[in-house]
Amino acid sequence: MMDDLFPDDVPDWREALEPGAMVLRGFALPHVPLLLAGVNRVAAAAPFRHMHTPGGFRMSVALTGCGHAGWVSDRHGYRYQAHDPLSGQPWPPMPAGFAALAQQAAAEAGFAGFLPDACLINRYEPGARMTLHQDKNERDFSQPVVSISLGLPAVFQFGGNERSDKTQRVPLAHGDVVVWGGPARLRYHGVLPLKPGLHPLLGECRINMTFRKVY
Ligand code: MD3
Ligand code: FE
């Protein structure tokens, strides 16, 4: 009866996309105030900016970051670096509670002991997108990436190990957390252009935070 409709051993908030890729629906919802306060503090010290690809194109997603490394792209290429090129200062420290939350999410997905040293923060406004890419600037691919979506919903594209592989579309909403590790770690992925909308907390915007072990 109720037990069949809502089996308590198969929580429906936890969804395996593929081996190594686990969606934790709403996992970050209780932590939204802490996350938004932290993002605002980081952005006050290291403002969101639109980087340029090595080929000279302005990225539609604005980004900032905190922790020991930030992601930088310019005409010389893309890489992690310890200093914010806008200020010449180290990236702001990771706000209290960030790393613990990422570690908790990773553990839920089977990656116990995840110790992120960086958090990249992407800001999407309507029309902004991220083309298919792999994340391979980190040193240790045995460590997962934990992503938290806030604000307007988006459609995530999850592909294979080759750019030309077929992709699946995964809707990601406010508070959803995804853990990407193991065989999913080097999959191509992207985000379709953000649809216009107004989120009650964030307005016309989506924020995506990704926690990584870079060094
Ligand atoms: C799968 N960000 O910052 S998060 C990125 O929504 C990035 O802003 C997207 O891709 C965003 O690099 C997607 C989900 C994500 C992040 C890293 C991954 C999925 C991943 C690394 C490996 C496989
Ligand atoms: Fe990525």
mmCIF file with all atom_site columns, all heavy atoms in Angstrom, residues 71 78-80 133-141 145 161 163 185-189 212 214:
data_model
loop_
_atom_site.group_PDB
_atom_site.id
_atom_site.type_symbol
_atom_site.label_atom_id
_atom_site.label_alt_id
_atom_site.label_comp_id
_atom_site.label_asym_id
_atom_site.label_entity_id
_atom_site.label_seq_id
_atom_site.pdbx_PDB_ins_code
_atom_site.Cartn_x
_atom_site.Cartn_y
_atom_site.Cartn_z
_atom_site.occupancy
_atom_site.B_iso_or_equiv
_atom_site.pdbx_formal_charge
_atom_site.auth_seq_id
_atom_site.auth_comp_id
_atom_site.auth_asym_id
_atom_site.auth_atom_id
_atom_site.pdbx_PDB_model_num
ATOM 1   N N   . TRP A 1 71  ? 39.179 29.269 -11.163 1.00 0.00 ? 71  TRP A N   1
ATOM 2   C CA  . TRP A 1 71  ? 39.324 28.917 -12.568 1.00 0.00 ? 71  TRP A CA  1
ATOM 3   C C   . TRP A 1 71  ? 39.428 30.192 -13.379 1.00 0.00 ? 71  TRP A C   1
ATOM 4   O O   . TRP A 1 71  ? 38.640 31.126 -13.197 1.00 0.00 ? 71  TRP A O   1
ATOM 5   C CB  . TRP A 1 71  ? 38.144 28.065 -13.016 1.00 0.00 ? 71  TRP A CB  1
ATOM 6   C CG  . TRP A 1 71  ? 38.316 27.438 -14.351 1.00 0.00 ? 71  TRP A CG  1
ATOM 7   C CD1 . TRP A 1 71  ? 38.979 26.278 -14.629 1.00 0.00 ? 71  TRP A CD1 1
ATOM 8   C CD2 . TRP A 1 71  ? 37.791 27.922 -15.601 1.00 0.00 ? 71  TRP A CD2 1
ATOM 9   N NE1 . TRP A 1 71  ? 38.903 26.011 -15.979 1.00 0.00 ? 71  TRP A NE1 1
ATOM 10  C CE2 . TRP A 1 71  ? 38.192 26.993 -16.596 1.00 0.00 ? 71  TRP A CE2 1
ATOM 11  C CE3 . TRP A 1 71  ? 37.041 29.041 -15.975 1.00 0.00 ? 71  TRP A CE3 1
ATOM 12  C CZ2 . TRP A 1 71  ? 37.855 27.151 -17.935 1.00 0.00 ? 71  TRP A CZ2 1
ATOM 13  C CZ3 . TRP A 1 71  ? 36.708 29.202 -17.305 1.00 0.00 ? 71  TRP A CZ3 1
ATOM 14  C CH2 . TRP A 1 71  ? 37.111 28.263 -18.279 1.00 0.00 ? 71  TRP A CH2 1
ATOM 15  N N   . TYR A 1 78  ? 43.168 28.165 -20.371 1.00 0.00 ? 78  TYR A N   1
ATOM 16  C CA  . TYR A 1 78  ? 42.444 28.129 -19.099 1.00 0.00 ? 78  TYR A CA  1
ATOM 17  C C   . TYR A 1 78  ? 43.160 27.229 -18.116 1.00 0.00 ? 78  TYR A C   1
ATOM 18  O O   . TYR A 1 78  ? 43.899 26.328 -18.486 1.00 0.00 ? 78  TYR A O   1
ATOM 19  C CB  . TYR A 1 78  ? 40.975 27.734 -19.282 1.00 0.00 ? 78  TYR A CB  1
ATOM 20  C CG  . TYR A 1 78  ? 40.729 26.555 -20.183 1.00 0.00 ? 78  TYR A CG  1
ATOM 21  C CD1 . TYR A 1 78  ? 40.845 25.267 -19.680 1.00 0.00 ? 78  TYR A CD1 1
ATOM 22  C CD2 . TYR A 1 78  ? 40.379 26.733 -21.511 1.00 0.00 ? 78  TYR A CD2 1
ATOM 23  C CE1 . TYR A 1 78  ? 40.623 24.184 -20.498 1.00 0.00 ? 78  TYR A CE1 1
ATOM 24  C CE2 . TYR A 1 78  ? 40.157 25.644 -22.343 1.00 0.00 ? 78  TYR A CE2 1
ATOM 25  C CZ  . TYR A 1 78  ? 40.285 24.377 -21.828 1.00 0.00 ? 78  TYR A CZ  1
ATOM 26  O OH  . TYR A 1 78  ? 40.075 23.306 -22.634 1.00 0.00 ? 78  TYR A OH  1
ATOM 27  N N   . ARG A 1 79  ? 42.978 27.550 -16.858 1.00 0.00 ? 79  ARG A N   1
ATOM 28  C CA  . ARG A 1 79  ? 43.756 26.903 -15.801 1.00 0.00 ? 79  ARG A CA  1
ATOM 29  C C   . ARG A 1 79  ? 43.191 27.301 -14.447 1.00 0.00 ? 79  ARG A C   1
ATOM 30  O O   . ARG A 1 79  ? 42.378 28.221 -14.354 1.00 0.00 ? 79  ARG A O   1
ATOM 31  C CB  . ARG A 1 79  ? 45.205 27.394 -15.877 1.00 0.00 ? 79  ARG A CB  1
ATOM 32  C CG  . ARG A 1 79  ? 45.282 28.916 -15.644 1.00 0.00 ? 79  ARG A CG  1
ATOM 33  C CD  . ARG A 1 79  ? 46.541 29.567 -16.170 1.00 0.00 ? 79  ARG A CD  1
ATOM 34  N NE  . ARG A 1 79  ? 46.444 31.035 -16.060 1.00 0.00 ? 79  ARG A NE  1
ATOM 35  C CZ  . ARG A 1 79  ? 45.920 31.817 -16.994 1.00 0.00 ? 79  ARG A CZ  1
ATOM 36  N NH1 . ARG A 1 79  ? 45.434 31.319 -18.121 1.00 0.00 ? 79  ARG A NH1 1
ATOM 37  N NH2 . ARG A 1 79  ? 45.851 33.130 -16.821 1.00 0.00 ? 79  ARG A NH2 1
ATOM 38  N N   . TYR A 1 80  ? 43.670 26.628 -13.418 1.00 0.00 ? 80  TYR A N   1
ATOM 39  C CA  . TYR A 1 80  ? 43.408 27.097 -12.056 1.00 0.00 ? 80  TYR A CA  1
ATOM 40  C C   . TYR A 1 80  ? 44.536 28.000 -11.638 1.00 0.00 ? 80  TYR A C   1
ATOM 41  O O   . TYR A 1 80  ? 45.693 27.781 -11.983 1.00 0.00 ? 80  TYR A O   1
ATOM 42  C CB  . TYR A 1 80  ? 43.330 25.909 -11.098 1.00 0.00 ? 80  TYR A CB  1
ATOM 43  C CG  . TYR A 1 80  ? 42.021 25.172 -11.193 1.00 0.00 ? 80  TYR A CG  1
ATOM 44  C CD1 . TYR A 1 80  ? 41.923 23.963 -11.855 1.00 0.00 ? 80  TYR A CD1 1
ATOM 45  C CD2 . TYR A 1 80  ? 40.866 25.706 -10.622 1.00 0.00 ? 80  TYR A CD2 1
ATOM 46  C CE1 . TYR A 1 80  ? 40.715 23.296 -11.948 1.00 0.00 ? 80  TYR A CE1 1
ATOM 47  C CE2 . TYR A 1 80  ? 39.656 25.042 -10.711 1.00 0.00 ? 80  TYR A CE2 1
ATOM 48  C CZ  . TYR A 1 80  ? 39.589 23.847 -11.377 1.00 0.00 ? 80  TYR A CZ  1
ATOM 49  O OH  . TYR A 1 80  ? 38.393 23.195 -11.470 1.00 0.00 ? 80  TYR A OH  1
ATOM 50  N N   . HIS A 1 133 ? 31.751 20.309 -22.465 1.00 0.00 ? 133 HIS A N   1
ATOM 51  C CA  . HIS A 1 133 ? 33.179 20.325 -22.113 1.00 0.00 ? 133 HIS A CA  1
ATOM 52  C C   . HIS A 1 133 ? 33.444 19.221 -21.101 1.00 0.00 ? 133 HIS A C   1
ATOM 53  O O   . HIS A 1 133 ? 32.520 18.637 -20.541 1.00 0.00 ? 133 HIS A O   1
ATOM 54  C CB  . HIS A 1 133 ? 33.564 21.687 -21.515 1.00 0.00 ? 133 HIS A CB  1
ATOM 55  C CG  . HIS A 1 133 ? 32.900 21.934 -20.191 1.00 0.00 ? 133 HIS A CG  1
ATOM 56  N ND1 . HIS A 1 133 ? 31.609 22.401 -20.083 1.00 0.00 ? 133 HIS A ND1 1
ATOM 57  C CD2 . HIS A 1 133 ? 33.324 21.747 -18.925 1.00 0.00 ? 133 HIS A CD2 1
ATOM 58  C CE1 . HIS A 1 133 ? 31.283 22.495 -18.817 1.00 0.00 ? 133 HIS A CE1 1
ATOM 59  N NE2 . HIS A 1 133 ? 32.301 22.100 -18.078 1.00 0.00 ? 133 HIS A NE2 1
ATOM 60  N N   . GLN A 1 134 ? 34.720 18.949 -20.863 1.00 0.00 ? 134 GLN A N   1
ATOM 61  C CA  . GLN A 1 134 ? 35.134 18.067 -19.777 1.00 0.00 ? 134 GLN A CA  1
ATOM 62  C C   . GLN A 1 134 ? 35.843 18.900 -18.733 1.00 0.00 ? 134 GLN A C   1
ATOM 63  O O   . GLN A 1 134 ? 36.478 19.895 -19.073 1.00 0.00 ? 134 GLN A O   1
ATOM 64  C CB  . GLN A 1 134 ? 36.151 17.029 -20.274 1.00 0.00 ? 134 GLN A CB  1
ATOM 65  C CG  . GLN A 1 134 ? 35.607 16.019 -21.248 1.00 0.00 ? 134 GLN A CG  1
ATOM 66  C CD  . GLN A 1 134 ? 36.743 15.156 -21.793 1.00 0.00 ? 134 GLN A CD  1
ATOM 67  O OE1 . GLN A 1 134 ? 37.628 15.658 -22.475 1.00 0.00 ? 134 GLN A OE1 1
ATOM 68  N NE2 . GLN A 1 134 ? 36.721 13.865 -21.494 1.00 0.00 ? 134 GLN A NE2 1
ATOM 69  N N   . ASP A 1 135 ? 35.768 18.502 -17.476 1.00 0.00 ? 135 ASP A N   1
ATOM 70  C CA  . ASP A 1 135 ? 36.528 19.163 -16.414 1.00 0.00 ? 135 ASP A CA  1
ATOM 71  C C   . ASP A 1 135 ? 37.745 18.303 -16.139 1.00 0.00 ? 135 ASP A C   1
ATOM 72  O O   . ASP A 1 135 ? 37.635 17.270 -15.486 1.00 0.00 ? 135 ASP A O   1
ATOM 73  C CB  . ASP A 1 135 ? 35.686 19.282 -15.137 1.00 0.00 ? 135 ASP A CB  1
ATOM 74  C CG  . ASP A 1 135 ? 34.572 20.297 -15.282 1.00 0.00 ? 135 ASP A CG  1
ATOM 75  O OD1 . ASP A 1 135 ? 34.088 20.487 -16.406 1.00 0.00 ? 135 ASP A OD1 1
ATOM 76  O OD2 . ASP A 1 135 ? 34.194 20.894 -14.277 1.00 0.00 ? 135 ASP A OD2 1
ATOM 77  N N   . LYS A 1 136 ? 38.883 18.737 -16.660 1.00 0.00 ? 136 LYS A N   1
ATOM 78  C CA  . LYS A 1 136 ? 40.065 17.899 -16.459 1.00 0.00 ? 136 LYS A CA  1
ATOM 79  C C   . LYS A 1 136 ? 41.296 18.714 -16.086 1.00 0.00 ? 136 LYS A C   1
ATOM 80  O O   . LYS A 1 136 ? 42.416 18.270 -16.303 1.00 0.00 ? 136 LYS A O   1
ATOM 81  C CB  . LYS A 1 136 ? 40.318 16.999 -17.671 1.00 0.00 ? 136 LYS A CB  1
ATOM 82  C CG  . LYS A 1 136 ? 40.285 17.704 -18.992 1.00 0.00 ? 136 LYS A CG  1
ATOM 83  C CD  . LYS A 1 136 ? 40.536 16.708 -20.115 1.00 0.00 ? 136 LYS A CD  1
ATOM 84  C CE  . LYS A 1 136 ? 40.713 17.443 -21.423 1.00 0.00 ? 136 LYS A CE  1
ATOM 85  N NZ  . LYS A 1 136 ? 40.820 16.546 -22.552 1.00 0.00 ? 136 LYS A NZ  1
ATOM 86  N N   . ASN A 1 137 ? 41.086 19.887 -15.502 1.00 0.00 ? 137 ASN A N   1
ATOM 87  C CA  . ASN A 1 137 ? 42.216 20.681 -15.022 1.00 0.00 ? 137 ASN A CA  1
ATOM 88  C C   . ASN A 1 137 ? 42.593 20.335 -13.578 1.00 0.00 ? 137 ASN A C   1
ATOM 89  O O   . ASN A 1 137 ? 43.556 20.880 -13.045 1.00 0.00 ? 137 ASN A O   1
ATOM 90  C CB  . ASN A 1 137 ? 41.927 22.181 -15.115 1.00 0.00 ? 137 ASN A CB  1
ATOM 91  C CG  . ASN A 1 137 ? 41.972 22.668 -16.551 1.00 0.00 ? 137 ASN A CG  1
ATOM 92  O OD1 . ASN A 1 137 ? 40.943 22.783 -17.191 1.00 0.00 ? 137 ASN A OD1 1
ATOM 93  N ND2 . ASN A 1 137 ? 43.152 22.915 -17.071 1.00 0.00 ? 137 ASN A ND2 1
ATOM 94  N N   . GLU A 1 138 ? 41.791 19.465 -12.946 1.00 0.00 ? 138 GLU A N   1
ATOM 95  C CA  . GLU A 1 138 ? 42.093 19.066 -11.581 1.00 0.00 ? 138 GLU A CA  1
ATOM 96  C C   . GLU A 1 138 ? 43.123 17.936 -11.622 1.00 0.00 ? 138 GLU A C   1
ATOM 97  O O   . GLU A 1 138 ? 43.254 17.251 -12.629 1.00 0.00 ? 138 GLU A O   1
ATOM 98  C CB  . GLU A 1 138 ? 40.807 18.599 -10.865 1.00 0.00 ? 138 GLU A CB  1
ATOM 99  C CG  . GLU A 1 138 ? 39.684 19.656 -10.843 1.00 0.00 ? 138 GLU A CG  1
ATOM 100 C CD  . GLU A 1 138 ? 38.920 19.768 -12.164 1.00 0.00 ? 138 GLU A CD  1
ATOM 101 O OE1 . GLU A 1 138 ? 39.028 18.818 -12.975 1.00 0.00 ? 138 GLU A OE1 1
ATOM 102 O OE2 . GLU A 1 138 ? 38.262 20.798 -12.385 1.00 0.00 ? 138 GLU A OE2 1
ATOM 103 N N   . ARG A 1 139 ? 43.828 17.748 -10.515 1.00 0.00 ? 139 ARG A N   1
ATOM 104 C CA  . ARG A 1 139 ? 44.936 16.774 -10.551 1.00 0.00 ? 139 ARG A CA  1
ATOM 105 C C   . ARG A 1 139 ? 44.491 15.339 -10.349 1.00 0.00 ? 139 ARG A C   1
ATOM 106 O O   . ARG A 1 139 ? 45.108 14.431 -10.874 1.00 0.00 ? 139 ARG A O   1
ATOM 107 C CB  . ARG A 1 139 ? 45.969 17.115 -9.469  1.00 0.00 ? 139 ARG A CB  1
ATOM 108 C CG  . ARG A 1 139 ? 46.826 18.243 -9.940  1.00 0.00 ? 139 ARG A CG  1
ATOM 109 C CD  . ARG A 1 139 ? 48.069 18.488 -9.096  1.00 0.00 ? 139 ARG A CD  1
ATOM 110 N NE  . ARG A 1 139 ? 48.586 19.768 -9.553  1.00 0.00 ? 139 ARG A NE  1
ATOM 111 C CZ  . ARG A 1 139 ? 49.107 20.700 -8.787  1.00 0.00 ? 139 ARG A CZ  1
ATOM 112 N NH1 . ARG A 1 139 ? 49.227 20.482 -7.486  1.00 0.00 ? 139 ARG A NH1 1
ATOM 113 N NH2 . ARG A 1 139 ? 49.519 21.833 -9.293  1.00 0.00 ? 139 ARG A NH2 1
ATOM 114 N N   . ASP A 1 140 ? 43.449 15.158 -9.536  1.00 0.00 ? 140 ASP A N   1
ATOM 115 C CA  . ASP A 1 140 ? 43.120 13.817 -9.058  1.00 0.00 ? 140 ASP A CA  1
ATOM 116 C C   . ASP A 1 140 ? 41.689 13.467 -9.455  1.00 0.00 ? 140 ASP A C   1
ATOM 117 O O   . ASP A 1 140 ? 40.736 13.844 -8.778  1.00 0.00 ? 140 ASP A O   1
ATOM 118 C CB  . ASP A 1 140 ? 43.292 13.806 -7.524  1.00 0.00 ? 140 ASP A CB  1
ATOM 119 C CG  . ASP A 1 140 ? 43.016 12.442 -6.931  1.00 0.00 ? 140 ASP A CG  1
ATOM 120 O OD1 . ASP A 1 140 ? 42.683 11.506 -7.692  1.00 0.00 ? 140 ASP A OD1 1
ATOM 121 O OD2 . ASP A 1 140 ? 43.127 12.315 -5.697  1.00 0.00 ? 140 ASP A OD2 1
ATOM 122 N N   . PHE A 1 141 ? 41.539 12.712 -10.536 1.00 0.00 ? 141 PHE A N   1
ATOM 123 C CA  . PHE A 1 141 ? 40.197 12.390 -11.024 1.00 0.00 ? 141 PHE A CA  1
ATOM 124 C C   . PHE A 1 141 ? 39.516 11.311 -10.189 1.00 0.00 ? 141 PHE A C   1
ATOM 125 O O   . PHE A 1 141 ? 38.382 10.932 -10.474 1.00 0.00 ? 141 PHE A O   1
ATOM 126 C CB  . PHE A 1 141 ? 40.250 11.962 -12.501 1.00 0.00 ? 141 PHE A CB  1
ATOM 127 C CG  . PHE A 1 141 ? 40.805 13.020 -13.409 1.00 0.00 ? 141 PHE A CG  1
ATOM 128 C CD1 . PHE A 1 141 ? 41.681 12.693 -14.428 1.00 0.00 ? 141 PHE A CD1 1
ATOM 129 C CD2 . PHE A 1 141 ? 40.450 14.361 -13.237 1.00 0.00 ? 141 PHE A CD2 1
ATOM 130 C CE1 . PHE A 1 141 ? 42.201 13.675 -15.265 1.00 0.00 ? 141 PHE A CE1 1
ATOM 131 C CE2 . PHE A 1 141 ? 40.967 15.344 -14.060 1.00 0.00 ? 141 PHE A CE2 1
ATOM 132 C CZ  . PHE A 1 141 ? 41.849 15.010 -15.072 1.00 0.00 ? 141 PHE A CZ  1
ATOM 133 N N   . VAL A 1 145 ? 33.285 15.728 -8.280  1.00 0.00 ? 145 VAL A N   1
ATOM 134 C CA  . VAL A 1 145 ? 32.875 17.130 -8.277  1.00 0.00 ? 145 VAL A CA  1
ATOM 135 C C   . VAL A 1 145 ? 31.461 17.149 -7.709  1.00 0.00 ? 145 VAL A C   1
ATOM 136 O O   . VAL A 1 145 ? 30.642 16.297 -8.055  1.00 0.00 ? 145 VAL A O   1
ATOM 137 C CB  . VAL A 1 145 ? 32.883 17.721 -9.705  1.00 0.00 ? 145 VAL A CB  1
ATOM 138 C CG1 . VAL A 1 145 ? 32.280 19.122 -9.721  1.00 0.00 ? 145 VAL A CG1 1
ATOM 139 C CG2 . VAL A 1 145 ? 34.298 17.763 -10.263 1.00 0.00 ? 145 VAL A CG2 1
ATOM 140 N N   . ASN A 1 161 ? 32.073 9.974  -23.056 1.00 0.00 ? 161 ASN A N   1
ATOM 141 C CA  . ASN A 1 161 ? 33.506 10.267 -22.966 1.00 0.00 ? 161 ASN A CA  1
ATOM 142 C C   . ASN A 1 161 ? 34.045 10.945 -24.223 1.00 0.00 ? 161 ASN A C   1
ATOM 143 O O   . ASN A 1 161 ? 35.187 11.387 -24.244 1.00 0.00 ? 161 ASN A O   1
ATOM 144 C CB  . ASN A 1 161 ? 34.276 8.983  -22.675 1.00 0.00 ? 161 ASN A CB  1
ATOM 145 C CG  . ASN A 1 161 ? 33.975 8.468  -21.278 1.00 0.00 ? 161 ASN A CG  1
ATOM 146 O OD1 . ASN A 1 161 ? 33.873 9.253  -20.329 1.00 0.00 ? 161 ASN A OD1 1
ATOM 147 N ND2 . ASN A 1 161 ? 33.803 7.171  -21.132 1.00 0.00 ? 161 ASN A ND2 1
ATOM 148 N N   . ARG A 1 163 ? 33.039 13.971 -27.233 1.00 0.00 ? 163 ARG A N   1
ATOM 149 C CA  . ARG A 1 163 ? 32.151 15.118 -27.440 1.00 0.00 ? 163 ARG A CA  1
ATOM 150 C C   . ARG A 1 163 ? 30.922 14.749 -28.284 1.00 0.00 ? 163 ARG A C   1
ATOM 151 O O   . ARG A 1 163 ? 29.833 15.272 -28.081 1.00 0.00 ? 163 ARG A O   1
ATOM 152 C CB  . ARG A 1 163 ? 32.913 16.265 -28.103 1.00 0.00 ? 163 ARG A CB  1
ATOM 153 C CG  . ARG A 1 163 ? 32.128 17.560 -28.210 1.00 0.00 ? 163 ARG A CG  1
ATOM 154 C CD  . ARG A 1 163 ? 32.906 18.610 -28.971 1.00 0.00 ? 163 ARG A CD  1
ATOM 155 N NE  . ARG A 1 163 ? 34.146 18.953 -28.286 1.00 0.00 ? 163 ARG A NE  1
ATOM 156 C CZ  . ARG A 1 163 ? 34.237 19.805 -27.272 1.00 0.00 ? 163 ARG A CZ  1
ATOM 157 N NH1 . ARG A 1 163 ? 33.159 20.425 -26.848 1.00 0.00 ? 163 ARG A NH1 1
ATOM 158 N NH2 . ARG A 1 163 ? 35.399 20.060 -26.719 1.00 0.00 ? 163 ARG A NH2 1
ATOM 159 N N   . ARG A 1 185 ? 33.222 10.963 -13.968 1.00 0.00 ? 185 ARG A N   1
ATOM 160 C CA  . ARG A 1 185 ? 34.021 12.151 -13.673 1.00 0.00 ? 185 ARG A CA  1
ATOM 161 C C   . ARG A 1 185 ? 34.493 12.903 -14.918 1.00 0.00 ? 185 ARG A C   1
ATOM 162 O O   . ARG A 1 185 ? 34.606 14.134 -14.891 1.00 0.00 ? 185 ARG A O   1
ATOM 163 C CB  . ARG A 1 185 ? 35.201 11.740 -12.788 1.00 0.00 ? 185 ARG A CB  1
ATOM 164 C CG  . ARG A 1 185 ? 36.167 12.836 -12.390 1.00 0.00 ? 185 ARG A CG  1
ATOM 165 C CD  . ARG A 1 185 ? 35.496 13.898 -11.560 1.00 0.00 ? 185 ARG A CD  1
ATOM 166 N NE  . ARG A 1 185 ? 36.446 14.950 -11.190 1.00 0.00 ? 185 ARG A NE  1
ATOM 167 C CZ  . ARG A 1 185 ? 36.841 15.924 -12.004 1.00 0.00 ? 185 ARG A CZ  1
ATOM 168 N NH1 . ARG A 1 185 ? 36.385 15.967 -13.232 1.00 0.00 ? 185 ARG A NH1 1
ATOM 169 N NH2 . ARG A 1 185 ? 37.692 16.822 -11.590 1.00 0.00 ? 185 ARG A NH2 1
ATOM 170 N N   . LEU A 1 186 ? 34.781 12.166 -15.991 1.00 0.00 ? 186 LEU A N   1
ATOM 171 C CA  . LEU A 1 186 ? 35.336 12.845 -17.172 1.00 0.00 ? 186 LEU A CA  1
ATOM 172 C C   . LEU A 1 186 ? 34.336 12.937 -18.326 1.00 0.00 ? 186 LEU A C   1
ATOM 173 O O   . LEU A 1 186 ? 34.717 13.199 -19.473 1.00 0.00 ? 186 LEU A O   1
ATOM 174 C CB  . LEU A 1 186 ? 36.631 12.150 -17.624 1.00 0.00 ? 186 LEU A CB  1
ATOM 175 C CG  . LEU A 1 186 ? 37.805 12.363 -16.663 1.00 0.00 ? 186 LEU A CG  1
ATOM 176 C CD1 . LEU A 1 186 ? 39.022 11.553 -17.100 1.00 0.00 ? 186 LEU A CD1 1
ATOM 177 C CD2 . LEU A 1 186 ? 38.182 13.846 -16.557 1.00 0.00 ? 186 LEU A CD2 1
ATOM 178 N N   . ARG A 1 187 ? 33.070 12.750 -18.004 1.00 0.00 ? 187 ARG A N   1
ATOM 179 C CA  . ARG A 1 187 ? 32.048 12.842 -19.048 1.00 0.00 ? 187 ARG A CA  1
ATOM 180 C C   . ARG A 1 187 ? 31.914 14.272 -19.559 1.00 0.00 ? 187 ARG A C   1
ATOM 181 O O   . ARG A 1 187 ? 32.007 15.235 -18.790 1.00 0.00 ? 187 ARG A O   1
ATOM 182 C CB  . ARG A 1 187 ? 30.683 12.424 -18.481 1.00 0.00 ? 187 ARG A CB  1
ATOM 183 C CG  . ARG A 1 187 ? 30.611 10.992 -18.043 1.00 0.00 ? 187 ARG A CG  1
ATOM 184 C CD  . ARG A 1 187 ? 30.713 10.035 -19.228 1.00 0.00 ? 187 ARG A CD  1
ATOM 185 N NE  . ARG A 1 187 ? 30.211 8.738  -18.835 1.00 0.00 ? 187 ARG A NE  1
ATOM 186 C CZ  . ARG A 1 187 ? 28.930 8.374  -18.928 1.00 0.00 ? 187 ARG A CZ  1
ATOM 187 N NH1 . ARG A 1 187 ? 28.025 9.191  -19.418 1.00 0.00 ? 187 ARG A NH1 1
ATOM 188 N NH2 . ARG A 1 187 ? 28.554 7.188  -18.523 1.00 0.00 ? 187 ARG A NH2 1
ATOM 189 N N   . TYR A 1 188 ? 31.648 14.395 -20.838 1.00 0.00 ? 188 TYR A N   1
ATOM 190 C CA  . TYR A 1 188 ? 31.283 15.698 -21.399 1.00 0.00 ? 188 TYR A CA  1
ATOM 191 C C   . TYR A 1 188 ? 29.956 16.141 -20.794 1.00 0.00 ? 188 TYR A C   1
ATOM 192 O O   . TYR A 1 188 ? 29.069 15.321 -20.527 1.00 0.00 ? 188 TYR A O   1
ATOM 193 C CB  . TYR A 1 188 ? 31.152 15.610 -22.923 1.00 0.00 ? 188 TYR A CB  1
ATOM 194 C CG  . TYR A 1 188 ? 32.491 15.764 -23.613 1.00 0.00 ? 188 TYR A CG  1
ATOM 195 C CD1 . TYR A 1 188 ? 33.294 14.668 -23.864 1.00 0.00 ? 188 TYR A CD1 1
ATOM 196 C CD2 . TYR A 1 188 ? 32.944 17.032 -23.974 1.00 0.00 ? 188 TYR A CD2 1
ATOM 197 C CE1 . TYR A 1 188 ? 34.532 14.822 -24.471 1.00 0.00 ? 188 TYR A CE1 1
ATOM 198 C CE2 . TYR A 1 188 ? 34.180 17.194 -24.589 1.00 0.00 ? 188 TYR A CE2 1
ATOM 199 C CZ  . TYR A 1 188 ? 34.967 16.087 -24.830 1.00 0.00 ? 188 TYR A CZ  1
ATOM 200 O OH  . TYR A 1 188 ? 36.194 16.246 -25.422 1.00 0.00 ? 188 TYR A OH  1
ATOM 201 N N   . HIS A 1 189 ? 29.839 17.438 -20.564 1.00 0.00 ? 189 HIS A N   1
ATOM 202 C CA  . HIS A 1 189 ? 28.608 17.965 -19.991 1.00 0.00 ? 189 HIS A CA  1
ATOM 203 C C   . HIS A 1 189 ? 28.473 19.438 -20.341 1.00 0.00 ? 189 HIS A C   1
ATOM 204 O O   . HIS A 1 189 ? 29.464 20.088 -20.716 1.00 0.00 ? 189 HIS A O   1
ATOM 205 C CB  . HIS A 1 189 ? 28.579 17.752 -18.475 1.00 0.00 ? 189 HIS A CB  1
ATOM 206 C CG  . HIS A 1 189 ? 29.743 18.402 -17.772 1.00 0.00 ? 189 HIS A CG  1
ATOM 207 N ND1 . HIS A 1 189 ? 30.980 17.783 -17.666 1.00 0.00 ? 189 HIS A ND1 1
ATOM 208 C CD2 . HIS A 1 189 ? 29.877 19.610 -17.179 1.00 0.00 ? 189 HIS A CD2 1
ATOM 209 C CE1 . HIS A 1 189 ? 31.801 18.592 -17.024 1.00 0.00 ? 189 HIS A CE1 1
ATOM 210 N NE2 . HIS A 1 189 ? 31.164 19.717 -16.718 1.00 0.00 ? 189 HIS A NE2 1
ATOM 211 N N   . ARG A 1 212 ? 35.390 21.264 -5.798  1.00 0.00 ? 212 ARG A N   1
ATOM 212 C CA  . ARG A 1 212 ? 36.397 20.415 -6.439  1.00 0.00 ? 212 ARG A CA  1
ATOM 213 C C   . ARG A 1 212 ? 37.614 20.252 -5.545  1.00 0.00 ? 212 ARG A C   1
ATOM 214 O O   . ARG A 1 212 ? 37.926 21.130 -4.739  1.00 0.00 ? 212 ARG A O   1
ATOM 215 C CB  . ARG A 1 212 ? 36.881 21.072 -7.738  1.00 0.00 ? 212 ARG A CB  1
ATOM 216 C CG  . ARG A 1 212 ? 35.768 21.292 -8.749  1.00 0.00 ? 212 ARG A CG  1
ATOM 217 C CD  . ARG A 1 212 ? 35.978 22.565 -9.507  1.00 0.00 ? 212 ARG A CD  1
ATOM 218 N NE  . ARG A 1 212 ? 34.797 22.896 -10.316 1.00 0.00 ? 212 ARG A NE  1
ATOM 219 C CZ  . ARG A 1 212 ? 34.650 22.578 -11.594 1.00 0.00 ? 212 ARG A CZ  1
ATOM 220 N NH1 . ARG A 1 212 ? 35.633 21.973 -12.233 1.00 0.00 ? 212 ARG A NH1 1
ATOM 221 N NH2 . ARG A 1 212 ? 33.553 22.883 -12.244 1.00 0.00 ? 212 ARG A NH2 1
ATOM 222 N N   . VAL A 1 214 ? 41.207 20.466 -6.380  1.00 0.00 ? 214 VAL A N   1
ATOM 223 C CA  . VAL A 1 214 ? 42.036 20.879 -7.509  1.00 0.00 ? 214 VAL A CA  1
ATOM 224 C C   . VAL A 1 214 ? 43.474 20.382 -7.333  1.00 0.00 ? 214 VAL A C   1
ATOM 225 O O   . VAL A 1 214 ? 44.090 19.907 -8.276  1.00 0.00 ? 214 VAL A O   1
ATOM 226 C CB  . VAL A 1 214 ? 42.014 22.419 -7.645  1.00 0.00 ? 214 VAL A CB  1
ATOM 227 C CG1 . VAL A 1 214 ? 43.029 22.885 -8.688  1.00 0.00 ? 214 VAL A CG1 1
ATOM 228 C CG2 . VAL A 1 214 ? 40.609 22.893 -8.000  1.00 0.00 ? 214 VAL A CG2 1
#
